[in-house]
C-alpha cells in the first residue's frame, strides 16, 4: 500500500500549503489536486481516518 501509515492533520496541511504555493493554486484547487493525485478520486481509498485528517486540515486552512 502506497500510504500505509495514517497521515495526520499537519501532514495534510503542509501538503496542501505546498501545492498552493508551488502551483499558485487556491485552496479549492489544491484540494481537488490532492483528491485526484493522493486519493485517486476516492476520498475513502485509505479508510476513514485519513479522510477525517484531510478534512480537518482543510478546516484549519479555511479558518
Amino acid at each position: 500500500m502506497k500510504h500505509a501509515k495514517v497521515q495526520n492533520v499537519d501532514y495534510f496541511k503542509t501538503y496542501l500549503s505546498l501545492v498552493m504555493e508551488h502551483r499558485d493554486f487556491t485552496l479549492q484547487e489544491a484540494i481537488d489536486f490532492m483528491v485526484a493525485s493522493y486519493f485517486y478520486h476516492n476520498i475513502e481509498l485509505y479508510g476513514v481516518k485519513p479522510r477525517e485528517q484531510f478534512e480537518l486540515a482543510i478546516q484549519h486552512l479555511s479558518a
Side-chain angles (χ1 to χ4, degrees):
M1 178 180 208
K2 182 177 177 185
H3 301 285
K5 180 182 175 199
V6 173
Q7 305 302 340
N8 63 24
V9 172
D10 289 334
Y11 171 86
F12 288 119
K13 283 171 52 178
T14 300
Y15 193 115
L16 287 165
S17 295
L18 287 171
V19 169
M20 287 188 295
E21 180 179 335
H22 290 284
R23 293 181 177 260
D24 197 28
F25 280 178
T26 64
L27 177 57
Q28 186 58 56
E29 289 170 327
I31 291 166
D32 294 343
F33 175 83
M34 193 163 180
V35 167
S37 65
Y38 183 90
F39 291 103
Y40 300 100
H41 300 284
N42 179 1
I43 198 74
E44 299 287 340
L45 180 64
Y46 302 113
V48 173
K49 190 70 171 177
R51 178 188 51 80
E52 289 173 344
Q53 296 296 296
F54 182 60
E55 290 171 349
L56 280 171
I58 293 167
Q59 288 175 11
H60 289 187
L61 290 171
S62 296

